[in-house]
Amino acid sequence: MMRNHKLLLGLALAVLFMASCKKEETFSQNTYDEYVRSIFPVKNFDNTYQQWASIGFATARITINGTPSEEYQVGIYLENPKNNNKVTKLYEGKISSTSSSTRLNTAIPFLLAQPSVWVMVVNSEKHYVIQKAAINYIEPNYILNTTITWSTETSTATKQLPSEASPFAFRYLFEEDFPDAGDFDYNDCVITVIPEIAADNAKKVTLTVRAEAAGAQKTLGAGLRLVGITDGLIESKVCTQQLPAPPANLGEYKNIPDGDFTKSNTDQSSLVLLLCKDMHWVMNPVEGTNGGITRQPYNTRREGERVAVKEAKYEFVFKSEATARNMMNQEIYDCFIVEPYNGSFWEVHTVQNGRKGDLVLHYDVHGKTYQEYLNAYVNSGVGKVTWALLVPGTVAYPYEGIRITAAYNQFEGWGQNMNNNTQWYLYPTFGNVWQ
């Protein structure tokens, strides 16, 4: 967030909005809607159906007609693995057949702009079959339904699953200042989430969470809710590596509770990973010259300070393989930030998956009833204005002060109609995104 831009916004809002939040009787929904829409970079966006979704999830049903009592390795990839070891894996695992026909059911993420994947099956003799499979929308879900028939004619060569396959990653790009309008460069907090099922234990999942950038001026905390994942589904859980936490002498933080895990206020059962209390400290965990935390952009400016990406790791062992496989479903992950605004804490969630109005840790709804909160910011003329984007983990975020529409020229067309320019993220403007 650029300081000059924020100063102008603050002056513009002095009468229009900030007083309105303190005095509900003076709040004008129409005035607020018009103001935010005038700042939001996508004009005439679809405020009815737009979910800003680039990633979907599908149920993959793979039937293998082969030899009874055979063990197969199965891999599902975004790219063809035949002559390429550096592919993106959506799933890898083993399946043992009890008859001549066996089926694997698993959840996989996929790119909505690319509704097809590659399935690779390898038997115990390293013979393999690679087959392209389409993902179809069969209301209300996306389904991959394919059959691989094994024979010596279809598999004579030998090969193993790709040795350099990279796991699919979910990247969250956040804008601070919700419910105020910002500069919409979506780099105030950048977090990447990478789930992986263990090769040696089909019930074990490792979540790697990467803190990539902090372009904010505020103190931002972050959390990750695992929607529908409750303690009753988990055999064990542990945080094996934490993001850097600020020392106690630097102040008391009330944005994020202490500890590694808690439960959601929204549904009172879903597990929440408490990622960090202060993104600036995470990116640069060194006391500044004034004895406090240095609040400057990290990894967002062309010539600004570049620091190493920081990682947290969480290990889960689930009670069933089905639950572990479902951890590849992007709908489970609700990554959010907590920001100070107008005397209280506000949470920023994605519009995608209907999360924008969720309140996971701070349920005071800022002087409103929950329905009033939803009416003002979710069920209104700015309901589909998003302060957070979920994108594939390879997507580059804009440089500091570069609006998303200047970083990606096709973004506005996609925002106006989600069926157009669906591959907008493949065409960045050179020099305007982080490299």
Side-chain angles (χ1 to χ4, degrees), residues 82 113 128 146 171 213 233 239 299 369 415 426 434:
K82 184 173 183 179
Y128 70 95
T146 192
R171 177 163 289 170
L233 300 173
C239 176
N299 295 351
T369 67
L426 297 181
W434 177 258

Side-chain angles (χ1 to χ4, degrees), residues 37 40-46 50 52 403-418 420-421 424:
R37 291 172 73 99
F40 190 57
V42 178
K43 307 307 176 187
N44 302 316
F45 61 91
D46 181 356
Q50 181 59 271
W52 308 102
R403 288 156 71 86
I404 188 73
T405 46
Y408 292 93
N409 291 331
Q410 295 186 16
F411 186 88
E412 183 166 19
W414 178 63
Q416 293 167 343
N417 186 330
M418 61 184 178
N420 296 336
N421 304 115
W424 61 269

Side-chain angles (χ1 to χ4, degrees), residues 245-251 280-281 284-295 298:
N249 68 294
L250 292 184
H280 289 98
W281 180 266
N284 184 25
V286 178
E287 290 190 31
T289 55
N290 62 352
I293 294 174
T294 303
R295 302 215 176 278
Y298 294 106

Side-chain angles (χ1 to χ4, degrees), residues 125-128 155-160:
E125 297 177 344
K126 307 303 180 187
H127 293 160
Y128 70 95
S155 178
T156 56
T158 59
K159 185 177 176 66
Q160 298 188 46

